[in-house]
């Protein structure tokens, strides 16, 4: 009888409380503290307005961000934006050119080079980012191949490939690490072509059920490191991912049916215990 009551108590726990026990106490959902879930260099959204976005730098001391446009005149495809108080305002590098832009921050000190990158989407029409992603921009880098389509995003349970390059060439047998603000950590080795495939973990709070215009998301960072000639290189790619709608819906219904079944069983259990006494 006592074990049955304990099962009911677990099922009755809030989904947020259950989620906090899945990943060694890691924070859950979009409310996770963006400054504490990892120490890896990263660029994360910090608000913005029409036609611009603010990015917050964490784990990296870069004096500026460099924005690369997917098209436009050659002399306007690159912009340098100063970083002030750990943040920077970014807008399309080339006038009236939209689609994905590549944004990068770089910190160089004796014996180390750290690079943080992200891809920012602007709604104006613009060329596909294929050529943008193919062009090397740092010694060590991680490149998504491909990026999510317009109005789409990375989601739980989906498989996404990434390319790691060293000096512009594919880097084989290189370890890449995926960390999420929900507390998950996954590792993979690149293949002979420098590619590694990650399945995004199912680590969102089941109470966060996307639907309609729900934009629930959490940050993740994919990073790798390499040593050459006594210099430590670290490169990261940061973006957002979202819950899988089907999973959160099924978890909610499953918990509901479990509680309903336990409630129906309680009178029989009490009657049997009374007869035993």
């Amino acid at each position: 009888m006592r074990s049955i009551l304990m099962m009911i108590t677990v099922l009755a726990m809030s989904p947020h409380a259950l989620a906090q026990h899945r990943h060694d106490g890691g924070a859950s959902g979009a409310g996770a503290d963006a400054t504490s879930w990892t120490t890896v260099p990263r660029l994360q959204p910090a608000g913005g307005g029409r036609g611009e976005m603010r990015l917050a730098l964490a784990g990296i001391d870069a004096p500026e961000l460099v924005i690369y446009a997917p098209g436009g005149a050659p002399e306007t495809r690159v912009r340098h934006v100063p970083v002030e108080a750990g943040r920077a305002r970014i807008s399309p590098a080339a006038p009236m050119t939209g689609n994905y832009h590549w944004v990068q921050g770089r910190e160089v000190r004796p014996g180390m080079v750290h690079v943080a990158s992200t891809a920012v989407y602007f709604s104006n029409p613009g060329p596909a980012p294929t050529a943008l992603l193919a062009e090397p921009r740092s010694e060590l880098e991680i490149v998504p191949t491909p990026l999510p389509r317009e109005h789409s995003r990375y989601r739980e349970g989906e498989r996404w490939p990434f390319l790691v390059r060293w000096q512009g060439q594919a880097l084989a047998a290189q370890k890449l690490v995926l960390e999420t603000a929900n507390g998950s950590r996954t590792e993979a080795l690149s293949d002979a072509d420098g590619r590694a495939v990650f399945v995004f973990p199912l680590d969102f709070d089941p109470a966060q059920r996307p639907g309609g215009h729900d934009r629930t998301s959490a940050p993740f960072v994919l990073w790798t490191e390499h040593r050459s000639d006594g210099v430590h290189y670290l490169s990261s790619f940061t973006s957002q991912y979202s819950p899988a709608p089907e999973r959160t819906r099924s978890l909610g219904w499953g918990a509901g049916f479990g509680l309903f079944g336990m409630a129906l069983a309680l009178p029989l259990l009490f009657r049997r215990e009374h007869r035993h006494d």
Side-chain angles (χ1 to χ4, degrees):
M1 180 65 193
R2 187 174 300 173
S3 61
I4 296 296
L5 291 175
M6 289 178 65
M7 291 175 62
I8 294 175
T9 302
V10 170
L11 282 171
M13 289 174 64
S14 70
H16 179 72
L18 287 172
Q20 295 218 349
H21 285 78
R22 287 199 309 269
H23 294 279
D24 301 322
S28 179
D33 184 354
T35 63
S36 64
W37 56 276
T38 182
T39 59
V40 175
R42 60 204 184 276
L43 307 177
Q44 293 184 185
R50 185 178 181 84
E52 74 166 23
M53 177 182 287
R54 296 185 187 93
L55 289 179
L57 284 71
I60 186 170
D61 186 13
E64 65 176 14
L65 296 185
V66 185
I67 309 167
Y68 301 90
E75 64 273 12
T76 64
R77 289 181 185 174
V78 181
R79 287 183 56 208
H80 297 257
V81 179
V83 173
E84 299 177 356
R87 301 194 176 208
R89 293 173 178 264
I90 66 170
S91 55
M96 303 303 295
T97 299
N99 212 321
Y100 278 108
H101 285 52
W102 191 256
V103 184
Q104 188 174 94
R106 182 181 177 92
E107 178 182 0
V108 179
R109 297 181 184 273
M112 60 160 272
V113 176
H114 289 183
V115 174
S117 303
T118 189
V120 177
Y121 187 87
F122 294 105
S123 59
N124 290 334
T130 307
L132 179 70
L133 298 176
E135 183 179 346
R137 293 191 170 83
S138 60
E139 300 89 343
L140 179 68
E141 56 189 347
I142 298 173
V143 181
T145 55
L147 284 160
R149 293 184 178 181
E150 180 185 5
H151 305 307
S152 185
R153 61 178 67 185
Y154 300 100
R155 291 187 183 277
E156 287 181 308
E158 292 182 345
R159 295 168 56 88
W160 286 88
F162 296 87
L163 171 67
V164 58
R165 291 191 297 234
W166 170 252
Q167 303 291 2
Q169 302 298 316
L171 186 59
Q174 174 70 10
K175 185 176 80 170
L176 290 85
V177 182
L178 174 70
E179 293 183 71
T180 75
N182 289 332
S184 294
R185 177 187 172 102
T186 308
E187 298 181 0
L189 285 179
S190 59
D191 62 16
D193 297 320
R195 298 183 187 276
V197 176
F198 282 88
V199 178
F200 277 80
L202 303 172
D203 60 3
F204 269 89
D205 183 338
Q208 295 173 317
R209 301 180 184 179
H213 298 288
D214 191 335
R215 304 295 289 176
T216 300
S217 65
F220 73 86
V221 62
L222 185 63
W223 61 274
T224 189
E225 56 187 344
H226 182 72
R227 288 190 178 274
S228 177
D229 296 330
V231 179
H232 174 251
Y233 294 87
L234 190 150
S235 184
S236 71
F237 170 73
T238 310
S239 190
Q240 305 279 316
Y241 74 115
S242 298
E246 296 79 7
R247 172 179 173 264
T248 51
R249 193 176 298 120
S250 63
L251 281 172
W253 280 105
F257 277 116
L259 285 171
F260 181 69
M262 289 296 182
L264 290 178
L266 273 176
L268 296 176
L269 291 171
F270 279 119
R271 190 178 306 166
R272 182 179 301 174
E273 178 131 334
H274 178 71
R275 190 178 307 162
H276 177 72
D277 293 341

